[in-house]
Amino acid sequence: MLLAIDCGNTNTVFSIWNGREFLATWRTATDWNRTADQYYVWLSTLMTLQKIDAEIDEVVISSTVPRVVFNLRVLCSRYFDCRPLVVGKPECRLPVDIRVDSGAQVGPDRLVNTVGGFDLHGGNLVIVDFGTATTFDVVAEDGAYIGGVISPGVNLSLQALHEAAAALPNVDVTQPEKVIGTNTVACMQSGIFWGYVGLIDGIVNRIRRELGRDIKVVGTGGLAPLFQQGEDLFDSFEDNLTMHGLTVINAYNKDTSHI
């Protein structure tokens, strides 16, 4: 059984894949101080509560927080008796090319999304991922990652606004009834919601013009469904895109026919 782990700046997601479907998915706050033993107690408890009897013998990891990877490696070695496949490490092969500036680093989460998006939808994509940052990843017709855009995340923007302006409260991200707010909270909600709708629409259209062709837009991440309500921003929404990409990468590395 495969355990797929996606470690982001804010949250870490664990999913169990049986080769056909995800049996369960759990989320915890990312904390590089969390030990391998703590991970195992947390994970095994959740598996017991959901009556999941799975023997994990494979692990694949994508992490944007390098300090977390060490304890995840210990988790795999100590409790699952396996060596994890870590995206971005030399031993992890990808089924797509990376065409960026020489020496440039690309976040493993963006590469995993590229692999997952290409496997599900083919090439010629823009993948919009709502995480700590809002990222736009451009996938060529042959599946290669050719670059993208990084913008501040929605919640990060709200936090910065609240911390920089003492009179502005914390607010929930929601679609307001009107663009013109008649109180502070409504004004902030309108600015965030419609501001990000404009950001997504504007960047995607500029990518289209720069490429000189139409592209399919795939949304993923927790807030993608909310923003899809405001406008017809995405051609498709994929809730488990990153996890799907991890399963594809793991299968590719097990298959030796293309080496």
Side-chain angles (χ1 to χ4, degrees), residues 87-88 98-101 103-112 114 137 145 147:
V87 179
I98 306 171
R99 300 189 193 127
V100 294
D101 294 342
Q105 297 293 317
V106 181
D109 54 330
R110 306 180 75 184
L111 298 176
V112 173
T114 297
D137 297 313
Y145 176 84

Side-chain angles (χ1 to χ4, degrees), residues 72-93:
L72 291 176
R73 285 186 182 274
V74 175
L75 168 71
C76 297
S77 174
R78 181 176 297 168
Y79 292 104
F80 305 135
D81 192 26
C82 70
R83 180 182 176 87
L85 182 67
V86 181
V87 179
K89 298 299 182 183
E91 64 271 16
C92 179
R93 294 173 291 110

